[in-house]
Amino acid sequence: MSLDSPPYIVIAKTAQLWLAGNLKQGRDPNKAGDLYNEAAEVAMNCMKGKMANKYYMLAEEAYGEAEDE
């Protein structure tokens, strides 16, 4: 990942960090789900429909993990 990476990839990587709990704030699946949804919306605006669908699915998985906690 570099500064030239598309914004949806940067947002999705941030969501991944929240989901994994690799931040000092801890793990937050709801925050990760919100970020994955945001990444999906940005991907749609960039005409990347397949990526958007992937991020929507990851958001649903993250929200599902939040319900289990």
Side-chain angles (χ1 to χ4, degrees), residues 3 10 22 37 42 46 49 68:
L3 293 175
V10 175
N22 293 338
N37 276 329
V42 173
C46 293
D68 292 340

Side-chain angles (χ1 to χ4, degrees), residues 15-65:
Q16 186 178 21
L17 290 172
W18 277 104
L19 190 58
N22 293 338
L23 301 170
K24 72 177 185 175
Q25 292 89 344
R27 187 172 186 275
D28 189 347
N30 282 319
K31 177 83 170 168
D34 293 343
L35 286 167
Y36 277 129
N37 276 329
E38 183 179 343
E41 290 172 17
V42 173
M44 285 296 280
N45 289 335
C46 293
M47 306 300 283
K48 299 290 183 181
K50 287 184 182 180
M51 289 299 294
N53 285 333
K54 175 183 171 183
Y55 294 144
Y56 282 129
M57 288 175 46
L58 289 169
E60 290 301 316
E61 290 175 15
Y63 289 134
E65 288 185 29

Side-chain angles (χ1 to χ4, degrees), residues 1-6 9-11 13-14:
M1 191 165 70
S2 69
L3 293 175
D4 296 329
S5 297
I9 292 178
V10 175
I11 297 167
K13 291 290 185 183
T14 305

